């Protein structure tokens, strides 16, 4: 459990198209085997500490002619932002992915001071 304590709580959210590979015939659409895409998110304002981050698919466009193998997770979560890692493998063909995300964590309050 992430305890926020008595600090002010900030919520930041967004929606990101990670890639649109079918238009250019890029790796996720035409490739095979292990493939990975890294997408960095920068928060509009910084959190005091690393927030809790939740990501979820809001749109996927995947070819129906093969198994649909995908994995998505976060890494490098910090006060200024985080990275989304999307991967697939085998003969899966991914045209587009859109992700919605939500970050919740402590933020600096205008009445805070350091001793």
């Amino acid at each position: 459990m992430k305890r926020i304590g008595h600090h002010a709580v900030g919520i930041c959210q967004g929606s990101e198209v990670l890639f649109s590979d079918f238009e250019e015939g890029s790796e996720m659409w035409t490739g095979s085997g292990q493939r990975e895409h890294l997408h960095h998110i920068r928060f509009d304002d910084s959190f005091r500490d690393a927030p809790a981050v939740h990501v979820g698919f809001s749109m996927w466009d995947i070819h129906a002619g093969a198994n649909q193998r995908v994995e998505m997770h976060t890494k490098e979560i910090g006060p200024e932002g985080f990275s989304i890692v999307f991967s697939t493998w085998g003969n899966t063909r991914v045209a587009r992915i859109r992700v919605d995300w939500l970050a919740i964590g402590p933020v600096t309050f205008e009445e805070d001071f350091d001793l």
Side-chain angles (χ1 to χ4, degrees):
M1 173 184 292
K2 184 173 191 73
R3 296 190 186 275
I4 296 174
H6 67 279
H7 302 290
V9 177
I11 300 172
C12 190
Q13 63 184 8
S15 184
E16 301 287 329
V17 174
L18 299 186
F19 56 84
S20 186
D21 277 7
F22 74 99
E23 295 169 341
E24 301 168 3
S26 297
E27 179 181 43
M28 290 293 185
W29 184 244
T30 61
S32 63
Q34 183 70 34
R35 289 157 283 153
E36 183 176 280
H37 178 83
L38 182 69
H39 190 89
H40 187 70
I41 303 293
R42 185 162 186 82
F43 302 131
D44 292 337
D45 293 312
S46 294
F47 287 90
R48 177 183 288 247
D49 297 312
V53 176
H54 174 77
V55 293
F57 293 108
S58 55
M59 184 272 296
W60 71 359
D61 185 0
I62 298 179
H63 192 278
N67 288 330
Q68 298 176 0
R69 304 173 189 97
V70 298
E71 179 182 26
M72 181 177 59
H73 64 274
T74 59
K75 72 177 193 176
E76 302 168 345
I77 299 172
E80 287 82 35
F82 68 100
S83 294
I84 300 170
V85 181
F86 175 87
S87 61
T88 188
W89 56 95
N91 63 347
T92 301
R93 295 176 57 191
V94 185
R96 286 181 293 211
I97 295 292
R98 184 177 63 229
V99 173
D100 288 351
W101 57 268
L102 178 70
I104 302 172
V107 294
T108 303
F109 187 61
E110 60 188 39
E111 294 179 11
D112 287 346
F113 59 91
D114 292 325
L115 295 178

